[in-house]
Amino acid sequence: MPHDTQAINKNRQNLEGLESVWVFGYGSLIFKADFPYIERRAARIDNWQRRFWQGSHDHRGTPEAPGRVLTLVEVPGTTCRGMAYKVTPDVFAHLDHREKNGYLRFETAFHFDDGTEAQGLVYIATEENEAWLGPASEHDIAAHIAKSEGPSGPNDEYVLRLAEALRAMDEDDPHVFMIADYLSQP
Ligand code: SIN
């Protein structure tokens, strides 16, 4: 898979002619919505868990010293709560550019708090992408993040802003909160 996934994503789903599309945010898309949206609602997707296993060359690190950002890994029987945005299809040019460092769009079911459901897209970086870093202990991930920085800012800011947003949504995520706790220690 090439380093830049923009061209692949453009051809993965045909969004032409659609009035709107749902996109699910589980990481920075929760706390940084730098795109226009029609509606924003908390939602959950099933069988996916957040992990700081993806390298960031373009936002929270550099090609020489990648930071660590979130992706989702498949864990049957689990749920992941995040923020769903209803957007017009043209917004995906911006999103594909923002998530170009290894993320692919996947279609999945979104479950809203009121019991309704919708199909939508979620950006996931799989093991096959070149920026993949893979598992490490929460302690080692925090140490890596503490010394990383990129064009979007310090890597620890990503974790701390996300942890704050998840707490505000009542989402318990032990992996994220443990890393945030290590980063908050003096
Ligand atoms: C997301 O937030 O849904 C994707 C990963 C990221 O950009 O942090």
Side-chain angles (χ1 to χ4, degrees), residues 24-30 70 98-99 103 123 158:
F24 182 81
Y26 55 88
S28 71
L29 288 174
I30 295 182
L70 280 178
R98 176 171 158 168
E99 306 296 327
Y103 293 84
Y123 286 88
Y158 178 117

Short mmCIF file of all heavy atoms in Angstrom, two decimals, residues 24-30 70 98-99 103 123 158, ligand 1:
data_model
loop_
_atom_site.label_atom_id
_atom_site.label_comp_id
_atom_site.label_asym_id
_atom_site.label_seq_id
_atom_site.Cartn_x
_atom_site.Cartn_y
_atom_site.Cartn_z
N PHE A 24 -17.47 8.55 11.02
CA PHE A 24 -17.29 8.30 12.46
C PHE A 24 -15.89 8.74 12.88
O PHE A 24 -14.90 8.32 12.27
CB PHE A 24 -17.47 6.80 12.75
CG PHE A 24 -17.35 6.42 14.19
CD1 PHE A 24 -18.42 6.59 15.06
CD2 PHE A 24 -16.16 5.90 14.69
CE1 PHE A 24 -18.31 6.23 16.41
CE2 PHE A 24 -16.05 5.53 16.03
CZ PHE A 24 -17.12 5.70 16.88
N GLY A 25 -15.81 9.55 13.92
CA GLY A 25 -14.53 9.97 14.48
C GLY A 25 -14.30 9.30 15.83
O GLY A 25 -15.20 9.29 16.68
N TYR A 26 -13.11 8.71 16.01
CA TYR A 26 -12.79 8.06 17.29
C TYR A 26 -11.54 8.67 17.92
O TYR A 26 -11.22 8.38 19.07
CB TYR A 26 -12.60 6.55 17.10
CG TYR A 26 -11.55 6.21 16.05
CD1 TYR A 26 -10.21 6.10 16.39
CD2 TYR A 26 -11.90 6.05 14.71
CE1 TYR A 26 -9.24 5.82 15.43
CE2 TYR A 26 -10.95 5.77 13.75
CZ TYR A 26 -9.62 5.66 14.12
OH TYR A 26 -8.68 5.40 13.15
N GLY A 27 -10.80 9.49 17.15
CA GLY A 27 -9.56 10.08 17.64
C GLY A 27 -9.61 11.59 17.52
O GLY A 27 -10.52 12.24 18.05
N SER A 28 -8.68 12.13 16.72
CA SER A 28 -8.65 13.60 16.59
C SER A 28 -9.93 14.14 15.95
O SER A 28 -10.29 15.30 16.16
CB SER A 28 -7.43 14.04 15.79
OG SER A 28 -7.57 13.70 14.43
N LEU A 29 -10.62 13.28 15.19
CA LEU A 29 -11.87 13.77 14.58
C LEU A 29 -12.93 14.07 15.66
O LEU A 29 -13.90 14.77 15.39
CB LEU A 29 -12.42 12.76 13.56
CG LEU A 29 -11.63 12.65 12.25
CD1 LEU A 29 -12.18 11.53 11.39
CD2 LEU A 29 -11.63 13.96 11.47
N ILE A 30 -12.74 13.57 16.87
CA ILE A 30 -13.69 13.92 17.95
C ILE A 30 -13.44 15.36 18.42
O ILE A 30 -14.36 16.14 18.56
CB ILE A 30 -13.55 12.96 19.16
CG1 ILE A 30 -13.96 11.55 18.78
CG2 ILE A 30 -14.39 13.47 20.34
CD1 ILE A 30 -13.90 10.56 19.94
N LEU A 70 -3.87 7.37 16.94
CA LEU A 70 -4.80 6.25 17.06
C LEU A 70 -5.14 5.59 15.74
O LEU A 70 -5.21 6.24 14.70
CB LEU A 70 -6.12 6.72 17.66
CG LEU A 70 -6.19 6.91 19.16
CD1 LEU A 70 -7.57 7.42 19.53
CD2 LEU A 70 -5.89 5.63 19.92
N ARG A 98 -6.44 14.81 5.17
CA ARG A 98 -6.08 14.81 6.61
C ARG A 98 -5.66 13.41 7.09
O ARG A 98 -4.75 13.27 7.89
CB ARG A 98 -7.29 15.33 7.39
CG ARG A 98 -7.12 15.29 8.88
CD ARG A 98 -8.24 16.02 9.57
NE ARG A 98 -8.36 15.56 10.94
CZ ARG A 98 -9.09 16.14 11.88
NH1 ARG A 98 -9.78 17.22 11.59
NH2 ARG A 98 -9.12 15.66 13.09
N GLU A 99 -6.32 12.38 6.60
CA GLU A 99 -6.08 11.00 7.06
C GLU A 99 -5.22 10.21 6.06
O GLU A 99 -5.29 8.99 6.03
CB GLU A 99 -7.44 10.29 7.27
CG GLU A 99 -8.41 11.02 8.18
CD GLU A 99 -7.91 11.15 9.62
OE1 GLU A 99 -7.20 10.26 10.09
OE2 GLU A 99 -8.21 12.17 10.26
N TYR A 103 -4.41 5.69 6.43
CA TYR A 103 -5.80 5.33 6.77
C TYR A 103 -6.62 5.02 5.52
O TYR A 103 -6.52 5.71 4.51
CB TYR A 103 -6.48 6.50 7.51
CG TYR A 103 -5.90 6.77 8.87
CD1 TYR A 103 -4.76 7.56 9.02
CD2 TYR A 103 -6.49 6.23 10.02
CE1 TYR A 103 -4.21 7.81 10.27
CE2 TYR A 103 -5.95 6.48 11.27
CZ TYR A 103 -4.81 7.28 11.39
OH TYR A 103 -4.27 7.52 12.63
N TYR A 123 -12.26 5.97 9.19
CA TYR A 123 -10.87 5.85 8.71
C TYR A 123 -10.09 4.95 9.66
O TYR A 123 -9.97 5.26 10.85
CB TYR A 123 -10.21 7.23 8.66
CG TYR A 123 -10.68 8.09 7.52
CD1 TYR A 123 -11.80 8.92 7.66
CD2 TYR A 123 -10.02 8.08 6.29
CE1 TYR A 123 -12.23 9.72 6.61
CE2 TYR A 123 -10.45 8.88 5.24
CZ TYR A 123 -11.55 9.70 5.41
OH TYR A 123 -11.98 10.48 4.36
N TYR A 158 -2.54 15.70 21.57
CA TYR A 158 -3.54 14.80 20.94
C TYR A 158 -4.16 13.90 22.01
O TYR A 158 -5.37 13.76 22.10
CB TYR A 158 -2.83 13.98 19.86
CG TYR A 158 -3.65 12.95 19.11
CD1 TYR A 158 -3.88 13.06 17.75
CD2 TYR A 158 -4.18 11.82 19.75
CE1 TYR A 158 -4.60 12.10 17.03
CE2 TYR A 158 -4.91 10.86 19.05
CZ TYR A 158 -5.11 11.00 17.70
OH TYR A 158 -5.83 10.04 17.00
C1 SIN B 1 -10.33 9.55 13.75
O1 SIN B 1 -10.22 10.46 14.58
O2 SIN B 1 -11.46 9.03 13.56
C2 SIN B 1 -9.21 9.04 12.92
C3 SIN B 1 -7.88 9.07 13.57
C4 SIN B 1 -7.38 10.45 13.82
O3 SIN B 1 -7.37 11.27 12.89
O4 SIN B 1 -6.99 10.74 14.95
#
